[in-house]
Amino acid sequence: MIKAEAIAKTYGQSVHALRGVSFEIGKNEVVGLLGPNGAGKTTLMKILTGFLHPSEGRAEIAGIDVLVDPLAVQAQIGYLPENAPVYRDMVVQEYLQWVAELREIAPDQQRKLISRAVISTGLEKFLVKPISQLSKGYRQRVGLAQAILHQPKLLILDEPTSGLDPSQIVEIRQLIARLAEEATVLLSTHILSEVELSCERVLIIDQGELRTDERLADLRQGSAAIATVVGPTDEIKAALGQIAGVQDVRSQELGQSDPHRLDGAHRFRVLGGDRQLCATIFDVVQQRGWRLTELRNDQETLESVFRRVTGGKSQDETRRAA
């Protein structure tokens, strides 16, 4: 459904919003797009939807080149930007009718499709209410209704649960699950739990580069271990990093009341290797004569992956810092 090949976007001489981003997304996949603010997520979505031209590379939607025939591509897409594109001086029904006409939906189909979108987004009681009088959450629902009105094959949603209360978030999550039975969904959000509950795959972008493209099921099966060792820090870290398959060795602080806090003790999180990672770490430490005070499996999580590929900050932290 989506094919991106070495997409780059540069502003001026020095601002690189995207750097050679490539990936493919199949039909009916639900994929989460994550990254710190300013990482390039929105730029990528605008390129995929034809609102921006890439500086380099190409993108296809359903086999159609975005640059060659952007109108044909946009006919396949339902797009919800972070700020819902609604006219506040219109009432909900009037706005959706107007969108249906812009989408060139046949007059005999308009009532049926508008009714379907309204029911799906829970707007039945607000059809004759001015959009300006709706809460931010319900304005977001109106934006989502316009995105799904024409039954698109691809939904690109930028922060679809922004401004919603917890019960509304659950409803939108359930709606996305239903929509995924008929369409491919690319979902950008700052809420990691939403990706874990709604998506089957995650793309993480940082500083314009695609750093992670992984299925969540595979991520959860990844090998990781926590080891606390008494010995020279640099030598321990180097030795652990040389274990076959290890991708990353990261130091972790030992709290003042931590039972493993001993003189000369250092805790490390070791990512990668195979299912025998703990046994291999034990052998490495024993061979070098260091003292091992803690060794346990530590399952990889989306939060830990995000921290690792974005330099240690959580998704929430990157948002607050922006």
Side-chain angles (χ1 to χ4, degrees):
M1 180 55 67
I2 301 177
K3 185 176 183 180
E5 296 181 349
I7 292 178
K9 182 63 178 178
T10 303
Y11 296 97
Q13 298 293 321
S14 58
V15 180
H16 300 279
L18 294 172
R19 305 168 184 261
V21 174
S22 298
F23 60 88
E24 293 187 19
I25 296 176
K27 291 182 179 180
N28 299 105
E29 280 195 89
V30 182
V31 179
L33 180 63
L34 297 175
N37 280 352
K41 305 185 300 299
T42 297
T43 298
L44 176 60
M45 288 186 284
K46 287 182 176 180
I47 288 174
L48 293 176
T49 52
F51 286 91
L52 280 180
H53 284 192
S55 303
E56 298 177 21
R58 61 191 298 270
E60 289 184 1
I61 304 296
I64 306 170
D65 191 301
V66 175
L67 292 179
V68 173
D69 197 347
L71 290 180
V73 165
Q74 289 165 358
Q76 308 286 329
I77 295 174
Y79 179 37
L80 177 63
E82 183 173 359
N83 297 312
V86 294
Y87 287 98
R88 299 191 180 193
D89 57 341
M90 301 176 78
V91 301
V92 172
Q93 185 171 1
E94 178 188 13
Y95 171 73
L96 293 177
Q97 182 74 42
W98 176 71
V99 171
E101 292 173 0
L102 285 180
R103 285 286 185 182
E104 298 183 343
I105 296 173
D108 62 337
Q109 292 293 311
Q110 288 185 9
R111 178 175 293 183
K112 174 185 174 182
L113 293 182
I114 290 174
S115 177
R116 176 181 178 271
V118 166
I119 292 171
S120 295
T121 52
L123 290 168
E124 301 98 311
K125 297 180 180 179
F126 303 93
L127 284 176
V128 295
K129 192 166 186 177
I131 295 174
S132 61
Q133 295 180 18
L134 298 178
S135 67
K136 181 179 180 181
Y138 276 94
R139 291 199 301 271
Q140 195 76 353
R141 288 177 183 233
V142 175
L144 189 54
Q146 68 79 27
I148 67 174
L149 183 60
H150 58 299
Q151 296 183 295
K153 294 181 180 179
L154 170 63
L155 274 172
I156 297 181
L157 309 176
D158 192 357
E159 299 288 345
T161 57
S162 175
L164 303 188
D165 62 39
S167 62
Q168 292 172 333
I169 289 174
V170 172
E171 291 172 5
I172 296 300
R173 185 191 307 148
Q174 292 169 344
L175 172 59
I176 290 171
R178 292 196 300 271
L179 294 172
E181 296 175 2
E182 303 174 2
T184 300
V185 180
L186 180 62
L187 165 68
S188 175
T189 179
H190 278 94
I191 306 173
L192 295 180
S193 60
E194 283 304 301
V195 173
E196 292 183 306
L197 291 169
S198 303
C199 303
E200 54 202 53
R201 180 175 157 202
V202 63
L203 306 175
I204 300 179
I205 293 180
D206 187 35
Q207 297 180 1
E209 297 181 355
L210 182 62
R211 300 292 177 84
T212 298
D213 179 356
E214 197 163 1
R215 301 191 72 80
L216 291 176
D218 294 336
L219 183 153
R220 295 185 184 105
Q221 294 174 1
S223 298
I226 298 294
T228 302
V229 187
V230 177
T233 306
D234 293 341
E235 291 183 28
I236 297 170
K237 190 170 184 178
L240 297 177
Q242 291 171 4
I243 294 174
V246 166
Q247 303 165 16
D248 184 59
V249 179
R250 190 176 295 272
S251 299
Q252 294 189 338
E253 292 187 10
L254 287 160
Q256 293 293 331
S257 60
D258 195 304
H260 301 286
R261 185 183 179 90
L262 303 173
D263 288 341
H266 309 281
R267 175 176 286 157
F268 301 91
R269 187 174 191 276
V270 185
L271 173 66
D274 55 25
R275 295 182 180 179
Q276 303 300 317
L277 179 60
C278 281
T280 305
I281 291 173
F282 180 85
D283 291 341
V284 167
V285 172
Q286 290 295 101
Q287 288 168 7
R288 286 163 174 76
W290 299 322
R291 181 182 175 187
L292 185 66
T293 66
E294 178 188 22
L295 181 60
R296 55 184 169 85
N297 288 316
D298 186 44
Q299 188 180 56
E300 182 81 312
T301 64
L302 184 55
E303 173 73 10
S304 64
V305 171
F306 187 88
R307 285 177 175 272
R308 172 164 51 83
V309 302
T310 60
K313 286 187 176 181
S314 71
Q315 183 85 325
D316 288 339
E317 287 171 337
T318 58
R319 188 176 199 180
R320 287 196 299 269

